[in-house]
C-alpha cells in the first residue's frame, strides 16, 4: 500500500516538474515590432508632456489660489473687526445701564433702610 502511494505521488510530482519546465507559459519571449516600439515611445513622450503641463497648471492654480485666499482672509478680518466693534459698543452700553440700575438699587435700599429704622 505504501509503495502504491509513493508511486502515485512520485509520478505526480515528476509530471509536475516536467510539465512546468517544458510549458510554453514559462517562456517570456516577447517580440515587439518597430511600430509597437515607436508607439510606446510616443506614449511615454505624451505622458511626460502631460506631466509637465500638469505641474505648470498646478503652479498657476496655486499662485492664483494663494492670492485669492489672501484677499478672502483680509476681507474676513475686516468684517470680523467691524462685528467686534459693534458687539463691543453694545456691551459697553449694556454695562453702563447695569451700573445705573445697580446704583439706583443701592440708593433705593439705603432710602428704605432709613425710612424703616
Amino acid at each position: 500500500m505504501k509503495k502504491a502511494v509513493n508511486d502515485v505521488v512520485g509520478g505526480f510530482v515528476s509530471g509536475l516538474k516536467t510539465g512546468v519546465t517544458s510549458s510554453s507559459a514559462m517562456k517570456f519571449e516577447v517580440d515587439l515590432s518597430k511600430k509597437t516600439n515607436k508607439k510606446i515611445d510616443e506614449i511615454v513622450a505624451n505622458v511626460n508632456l502631460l506631466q509637465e503641463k500638469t505641474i505648470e497648471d498646478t503652479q498657476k492654480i496655486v499662485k492664483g489660489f494663494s492670492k485669492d485666499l489672501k484677499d478672502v482672509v483680509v476681507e474676513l478680518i475686516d468684517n470680523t473687526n467691524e462685528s467686534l466693534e459693534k458687539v463691543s459698543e453694545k456691551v459697553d452700553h449694556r454695562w453702563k445701564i447695569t451700573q445705573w440700575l445697580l446704583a439706583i438699587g443701592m440708593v433705593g435700599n439705603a432710602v428704605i433702610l432709613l425710612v424703616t429704622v
Side-chain angles (χ1 to χ4, degrees):
M1 178 78 161
K2 213 176 197 187
K3 184 170 176 15
V5 172
N6 284 339
D7 290 340
V8 171
V9 172
F12 179 76
V13 170
S14 66
L16 278 178
K17 287 179 183 176
T18 59
V20 169
T21 54
S22 65
S23 171
S24 63
M26 292 301 292
K27 295 180 183 177
F28 295 109
E29 296 176 10
V30 179
D31 185 25
L32 297 177
S33 67
K34 291 182 181 180
K35 288 182 181 179
T36 306
N37 286 335
K38 186 176 179 182
K39 283 289 186 185
I40 290 173
D41 291 341
E42 186 179 329
I43 290 170
V44 169
N46 286 335
V47 168
N48 288 338
L49 180 66
L50 182 62
Q51 286 175 340
E52 289 173 13
K53 291 279 187 187
T54 305
I55 291 171
E56 290 172 1
D57 292 341
T58 304
Q59 288 174 343
K60 287 179 185 176
I61 290 169
V62 169
K63 285 180 184 176
F65 178 73
S66 63
K67 184 180 179 207
D68 292 342
L69 182 63
K70 179 183 174 185
D71 294 342
V72 168
V73 168
V74 167
E75 183 179 342
L76 182 63
I77 289 172
D78 291 343
N79 290 340
T80 304
N81 285 339
E82 290 176 13
S83 299
L84 286 174
E85 286 178 20
K86 289 178 184 178
V87 169
S88 176
E89 289 174 8
K90 287 181 182 179
V91 168
D92 286 344
H93 180 70
R94 289 177 182 171
W95 180 246
K96 288 177 184 176
I97 291 174
T98 303
Q99 287 176 334
W100 277 102
L101 290 174
L102 285 171
I104 291 170
M106 288 181 184
V107 170
N109 283 335
V111 170
I112 290 173
L113 282 173
L114 288 174
V115 171
T116 56
V117 175

